[in-house]
Each structure stands twice: as structure tokens, then as C-alpha cells.
Amino acid sequence: AMVADNAAMQAMWTTFKADATANMKTVAGFSCNLVFQPIPKSATTVAKTNGVGNIWDVDNTKPYIYWLITSSWDNAADDAKVMSWSATLREKMHAMNAKLGLAEDLIYMNDASDDQKPFQSIPKANLARLKTIRKKYDPTLVFRNLNNGGYKLD
């Protein structure tokens, strides 16, 4: 995630396109996207004032961009190469944004990659609140234990 900034997004796109073109041309059936999802100040303001809150405690004075890299390819033999490429490029672009003071450490769970840990980006007090809610409504951990895959609240 990042604070919305057009120049930084343009730089990310340029970096993404050049890196994918240079490094993934030998991967059969490779296709990728850099997706930008705008989160306006109005959305975070509603989350701050609706009585429920927003789990990441995002500052509602700035517009944000949640961004992710998607990719597909033909052969399982290329899994490690593509996953490594994606993680490395993601960290490179995050570092670019950090250098500009625009990077946010929150990881939106729906956009997280397999190697990321989205619960680690939630403030400790909010994480404790989630666990309290889970204890009340799912004391036997049905949703945790019977749900295959995904990210689990410890």
C-alpha cells in the first residue's frame, strides 16, 4: 500500500514493465498485471467514524493506493521463478515508495501474496480485538479449522 501519488505510480509502472520484459520473456505463457486500487480519504473516514473502525487504523487524511502484482504462466516448472520474481519486484517497488515517504506497511489481505503475512500489518490492539470477537462468535474455531487455505488469525 502507498499514499496516492501519480509520479510514484508512473515510476512503478515503468519499473514493472521493464522488469517483466527483461526477466520473464522465457517463461511460457507468462502474463502479468500491476493493479492499482484507489482508496479515497472518504472511505477511510467512514471506517474511522462508523463505530466499527478500520482494522489497520489507516490515517483518514490521505488517499491511498493498494497495489499488487498478478501473474499467470503455463508450466509448474516455472513456479519458483515467477514467485521469486514477483516477490523481488514487489519489495523493490515498496522500497522505491519508502524512499519517497509514500510506502505503507499495511498488507490488504485480499491482495496478499502467499509469502506475505497480512496479520502482521494490523496494530496489536486491533489484532487483540479481532481475537476477542472470534472468541465470542467462534469459540470452537470452526471458521479457522474447517476453512482450507487462506490466512488464519493465530
Side-chain angles (χ1 to χ4, degrees):
M2 63 185 285
V3 175
D5 183 89
N6 186 54
M9 292 167 63
Q10 292 294 329
M12 289 173 70
W13 169 248
T14 300
T15 300
F16 170 80
K17 185 176 176 184
D19 202 286
T21 302
N23 295 310
M24 304 310 287
K25 60 187 167 197
T26 62
V27 176
F30 182 77
S31 176
C32 60
N33 297 289
L34 175 60
V35 180
F36 293 112
Q37 301 173 82
I39 308 298
K41 290 188 285 187
S42 59
T44 54
T45 297
V46 167
K48 287 260 189 192
T49 60
N50 67 4
V52 176
N54 98 42
I55 198 67
W56 294 280
D57 201 24
V58 175
D59 179 355
N60 66 330
T61 64
K62 306 173 196 171
Y64 294 92
I65 301 293
Y66 295 173
W67 60 271
L68 69 146
I69 298 168
T70 66
S71 53
S72 61
W73 58 99
D74 290 344
N75 302 317
D78 291 320
D79 287 2
K81 178 178 182 170
V82 175
M83 296 301 287
S84 175
W85 167 81
S86 181
T88 301
L89 182 57
R90 181 188 69 231
E91 294 308 315
K92 179 181 181 177
M93 292 192 297
H94 183 73
M96 289 168 47
N97 290 331
K99 191 180 236 183
L100 297 170
L102 300 170
E104 294 290 327
D105 289 327
L106 79 86
I107 300 170
Y108 182 60
M109 195 173 300
N110 196 51
D111 298 340
S113 184
D114 292 348
D115 65 315
Q116 292 180 295
K117 308 225 180 300
F119 283 111
Q120 291 178 359
S121 69
I122 298 172
K124 289 186 186 331
N126 293 352
L127 201 53
R129 180 174 175 229
L130 282 177
K131 290 177 182 180
T132 299
I133 292 167
R134 178 184 64 188
K135 186 175 182 178
K136 179 179 179 179
Y137 292 101
D138 188 20
T140 59
L141 303 178
V142 169
F143 292 104
R144 178 182 171 72
N145 297 331
L146 296 181
N147 186 16
N148 278 337
Y151 303 99
K152 310 285 180 134
L153 183 62
D154 292 331

